[in-house]
Amino acid sequence: MPSPDLQPAFLVRPSLAPTESIRSLIHRLAVQNKLPLRMLGEPGRLGEATQVACELASKADWDPCDLVQRAASTSESDPSDTVVRIGTAMLGKRCIVGLQRRICPLCMVSTTWTPIDWEIRQNDACHIHQCMLADKCSACGAGVAWLSHQYACDRCGLAWRHFETPAASPSSTTFAKWTHSSVVRALRGIQQDGHSKNNGVRVRLEKLLLMLEVLRCEVLRQWLSPKLWADFGHVWSIQLLKESDYRSWLWSEMFLHAAKDPMTLAKALRPMGSALMTSAYFNGFASAAPVPNFILTALKKLGEDKLLHKLASRPVFDVRRHGIYGVFQAPEPGLSSPSHRDEKYWDEEDGPQSELERFLEVC
């Protein structure tokens, strides 16, 4: 552990990049000042990285307030209860990757810092280059270390920028864009969801991650067999959120309901419990959730007749039946529902804010 009283001011004092993580900042400080890595303890652990960064702040000209905006804190009454803060978002430690670092090789060609986006456990892609994040060397399979003086594999020496990584799926790319927008939103101190033409960020980070957990751990787990859930649970949960009409229904049904309960959204991702324990609160909601057509179509293609028979008793999602219009704009008789805008991302400009979107800002 470093001792600030014994350390002179650093000759090179890297500035914190807009969405950079604390662990990345400590790494750059060590590399640029050629510090012995052992003096930094184990910054791969976010709690220890937070402590190290705060101790070195005065010598590195870092603003402690900026560090706190992306730090981990532990409850005095229960040391195992760690809360991770990303701007205005307060998350449980299970939402953040642990000792395993993840990188985009293409990003590492032009930069040496890594963003908080890549430390969100549910996000596995780079939103810029639309490739999967790498956590292992593509040559020897060694894990990517948090501290490396050469920005290369510690075992075989292959530079991070030369790692090979596959292209990301459309779903992973979409979620990477959502995650980035939500992280930017949280660091800017924006607490309300809403439409914006300028920066495009609209969804709170804790809300995005909780919805994904509930869809994957509760809704899809009830619909699919264990094998299909393991293969498609994450991808299909993102697709469920990508369906614009279904997403709107989920927001109104799930979060307006949750806001009336003592377990509010602000607390939902902070408990020590697992994702399953948190999402289990929404078990009743999941039992009544209608099935969108794309799930039924996919099961038909996979030849899952038993699952189709099981889901036959559930309602199929229909915009008019499930109240997307409700009191806002009931369709005229004979008119079909408006076309989906599934190709649009949450962080893209999509015209004037609708009455429904304004309504959902309260969630």
Side-chain angles (χ1 to χ4, degrees), residues 16 19 46 62 102 115 135 191 202 224-225 234 236 272 296 303 313:
L16 187 66
T19 60
L46 186 55
W62 294 337
R102 301 192 294 185
D135 60 4
Q191 294 181 301
R202 299 176 57 192
L224 306 178
S225 65
H234 182 67
W236 285 358
M272 296 181 297
L296 300 176
S313 60

Side-chain angles (χ1 to χ4, degrees), residues 77-194:
S77 59
D78 189 348
S80 64
D81 184 9
T82 301
V83 175
V84 179
R85 179 175 181 177
I86 301 177
T88 57
M90 304 293 283
L91 308 177
K93 64 180 179 180
R94 66 174 179 277
C95 298
I96 306 297
V97 295
L99 299 178
Q100 193 66 59
R101 191 173 192 174
R102 301 192 294 185
I103 61 167
C104 166
L106 297 177
C107 283
M108 302 312 294
V109 171
S110 57
T111 188
T112 57
W113 63 272
T114 55
I116 298 173
D117 312 8
W118 298 352
E119 298 183 21
I120 302 295
R121 188 179 301 278
Q122 295 91 329
N123 178 35
D124 57 7
C126 171
H127 77 282
I128 297 175
H129 297 104
Q130 301 182 20
C131 63
M132 300 299 288
L133 299 175
D135 60 4
K136 296 180 180 179
C137 174
S138 56
C140 70
V144 178
W146 272 106
L147 297 180
S148 170
H149 273 311
Q150 303 302 320
Y151 294 101
C153 174
D154 287 342
R155 181 186 295 174
C156 70
L158 181 67
W160 289 352
R161 65 180 182 274
H162 293 149
F163 281 14
E164 296 179 2
T165 186
S169 67
S171 293
S172 289
T173 298
T174 296
F175 192 73
K177 289 176 179 285
W178 294 346
T179 302
H180 175 73
S181 291
S182 297
V183 166
V184 170
R185 177 181 202 81
L187 291 174
R188 289 181 179 176
I190 303 173
Q191 294 181 301
Q192 295 296 321
D193 294 339

Side-chain angles (χ1 to χ4, degrees), residues 6 25 38 68 109 113 124 137 152 154 168 186 206 218 222 257 270-271 280 294 302 311 321 343 354 359:
L6 301 178
L25 181 63
R38 63 180 178 275
V68 170
V109 171
W113 63 272
D124 57 7
C137 174
D154 287 342
E206 63 269 41
E218 290 299 324
Q222 290 189 21
H257 169 72
R270 293 179 58 181
F294 90 85
L302 293 170
L311 295 178
R321 180 186 305 170
E343 71 281 359
S354 70
F359 171 72

Side-chain angles (χ1 to χ4, degrees), residues 225-276:
S225 65
K227 184 180 185 306
L228 283 179
W229 183 81
D231 291 341
F232 299 106
H234 182 67
V235 174
W236 285 358
S237 60
I238 295 173
Q239 183 63 33
L240 284 171
L241 288 179
K242 190 177 178 183
E243 295 276 347
S244 59
D245 289 335
Y246 196 79
R247 182 177 71 239
S248 296
W249 178 82
L250 283 169
W251 279 10
S252 60
E253 289 296 313
M254 184 183 298
F255 287 100
L256 285 183
H257 169 72
K260 298 175 183 177
D261 191 273
M263 194 197 96
T264 63
L265 178 62
K267 299 177 182 178
L269 285 172
R270 293 179 58 181
M272 296 181 297
S274 65
L276 275 173

Side-chain angles (χ1 to χ4, degrees), residues 324-360:
I324 296 301
Y325 297 113
V327 297
F328 302 110
Q329 52 174 74
E332 296 178 10
L335 293 182
S336 59
S337 60
S339 59
H340 290 262
R341 292 183 296 162
D342 298 339
E343 71 281 359
K344 297 287 287 184
Y345 295 118
W346 283 1
D347 57 341
E348 292 179 350
E349 181 180 333
D350 57 358
Q353 185 179 19
S354 70
E355 190 170 7
L356 176 61
E357 287 172 326
R358 291 195 296 272
F359 171 72
L360 292 175

Side-chain angles (χ1 to χ4, degrees), residues 278-312:
T278 299
S279 62
Y281 169 79
F282 298 94
N283 184 270
F285 162 85
S287 299
V291 183
N293 274 314
F294 90 85
I295 294 286
L296 300 176
T297 301
L299 292 177
K300 287 178 183 177
K301 291 181 178 179
L302 293 170
E304 295 288 343
D305 295 333
K306 290 184 178 180
L307 284 180
L308 285 170
H309 180 73
K310 173 185 174 182
L311 295 178

Side-chain angles (χ1 to χ4, degrees), residues 32-57:
Q32 294 176 20
N33 289 279
K34 298 182 179 179
L35 303 176
L37 298 184
R38 63 180 178 275
M39 74 166 285
L40 299 176
E42 295 186 25
R45 300 182 185 279
L46 186 55
E48 188 161 344
T50 299
Q51 183 178 353
V52 169
C54 290
E55 289 180 355
L56 297 177

Side-chain angles (χ1 to χ4, degrees), residues 13-26:
R13 305 168 193 177
S15 299
L16 187 66
T19 60
E20 184 175 14
S21 73
I22 278 185
R23 291 183 280 194
S24 169
L25 181 63
I26 292 175

